[in-house]
Amino acid sequence: MSAVYYLLPKCQGTTLRRIVREATTDVVNGVIQLIETIVSTPLQSLSQEQLMSTGGVWESCDRITELPRDNQAAVLSVMSSYSKLVKDALEEIEEAQNSDGDPFSDVLGDIDMEERGNRDTYWSEADRQVMAPCLGLIKASKASLKKVSEAVKNHGKVREQEYIAQLDDLADCSSEISPSVDELVLCLYPPMNYVAVRFNAAKLASVLKKMLDIVGMSHVCPEAENSWVQFLNRAVDHNMDKVKELTPASA
């Protein structure tokens, strides 16, 4: 099976090869685990551990049949997973924001207010003002992944090496968005460090601008349809400018 992976030409796309490699590794590791389980189990004995290991191998083999057939499908697959992560992060912080200024109410709900002490577990009005453009950046992240995925689905091509490489560039850049969103969300919780918020907002904005620049120059974004790229670029700039207005550049 490993030999089959190595027979997949690199020119077919690094994203596709990465997905195939991970799926192949899962199967091989599952078989190794099954063999170790069989060896360590007494003969003529079928243990629960053996059954579970066998089931794991079958599941890994079943996933092989569901692998993307080309780099376009591979890029769409990874972008879908990134979009879900960003969606979850946005829902998390919005839910916390709607908890009457107390994002830790679900964790500390039974603890007496006086016992909990100071404002470090609450958002101030200034915090909420800072949060608004940060949420705007996260929403721009979600919208960017959605629009880029649609562009790849509608216009992505794998006939030429140049097109395959452009798809890989989009996949690589989009992989940076979810971690950047997570870092920004994490520093939005009280007590809010404005310097950290500004830094992580700028980092996310930079990643988004990079992806939008790449997609705007790629084959998946015909000139007649690139208005959404300009709109999202303006949205990123607007929200980042607001973050800068509301936060200090340094401590």
Side-chain angles (χ1 to χ4, degrees):
M1 176 163 276
S2 298
V4 172
Y5 160 70
Y6 285 109
L7 288 173
L8 180 63
K10 292 183 179 180
C11 64
Q12 293 300 309
T14 58
T15 307
L16 178 62
R17 279 177 57 87
R18 190 181 304 122
I19 291 176
V20 173
R21 181 186 64 205
E22 291 171 354
T24 304
T25 301
D26 286 344
V27 174
V28 173
N29 288 340
V31 171
I32 293 173
Q33 182 181 5
L34 176 59
I35 293 173
E36 291 175 346
T37 302
I38 293 173
V39 170
S40 63
T41 304
L43 294 175
Q44 299 178 336
S45 173
L46 187 62
S47 67
Q48 183 66 27
E49 190 175 356
Q50 284 182 2
L51 292 174
M52 291 178 63
S53 295
T54 303
V57 172
W58 279 115
E59 288 180 6
S60 297
C61 290
D62 288 341
R63 285 196 288 271
I64 293 290
T65 65
E66 300 172 358
L67 290 175
R69 301 302 179 186
D70 55 37
N71 211 44
Q72 179 191 20
V75 170
L76 285 172
S77 175
V78 297
M79 282 191 171
S80 175
S81 65
Y82 302 150
S83 294
K84 290 176 183 176
L85 293 174
V86 170
K87 178 176 177 288
D88 289 344
L90 177 59
E91 290 177 350
E92 173 195 318
I93 193 63
E94 285 183 329
E95 182 178 343
Q97 186 187 32
N98 294 329
S99 59
D100 297 325
D102 181 8
F104 303 112
S105 59
D106 57 337
V107 179
L108 306 173
D110 295 333
I111 301 178
D112 183 81
M113 292 293 185
E114 294 184 1
E115 184 180 347
R116 286 170 59 177
N118 58 44
R119 67 178 183 83
D120 286 352
T121 59
Y122 297 89
W123 278 306
S124 66
E125 183 57 35
D127 291 343
R128 288 187 174 279
Q129 291 180 11
V130 171
M131 184 177 291
C134 291
L135 288 179
L137 283 173
I138 299 173
K139 290 176 181 177
S141 302
K142 178 182 176 183
S144 295
L145 284 169
K146 180 176 182 292
K147 294 298 293 184
V148 171
S149 294
E150 290 175 353
V152 170
K153 180 179 180 180
N154 294 331
H155 303 292
K157 300 174 183 177
V158 291
R159 295 195 305 268
E160 298 181 23
Q161 186 60 42
E162 178 185 3
Y163 296 157
I164 292 174
Q166 288 175 356
L167 294 175
D168 283 330
D169 288 341
L170 286 171
D172 290 342
C173 189
S174 64
S175 70
E176 301 176 39
I177 293 179
S178 176
S180 298
V181 166
D182 287 342
E183 290 173 5
L184 178 57
V185 167
L186 187 61
C187 68
L188 290 177
Y189 282 93
M192 192 181 288
N193 182 326
Y194 292 160
V195 174
V197 169
R198 182 181 179 130
F199 173 82
N200 284 294
K203 181 179 177 182
L204 176 57
S206 176
V207 171
L208 291 174
K209 298 280 286 184
K210 177 182 175 182
M211 185 176 74
L212 291 170
D213 285 345
I214 291 174
V215 73
M217 295 184 292
S218 74
H219 72 282
V220 304
C221 186
E223 186 175 353
E225 300 180 20
N226 70 356
S227 59
W228 62 269
V229 177
Q230 300 171 24
F231 173 81
L232 287 171
N233 260 313
R234 290 195 297 269
V236 172
D237 288 338
H238 170 75
N239 283 292
M240 191 61 228
D241 287 344
K242 292 295 293 182
V243 172
K244 290 178 180 179
E245 289 177 14
L246 296 166
T247 58
S250 60

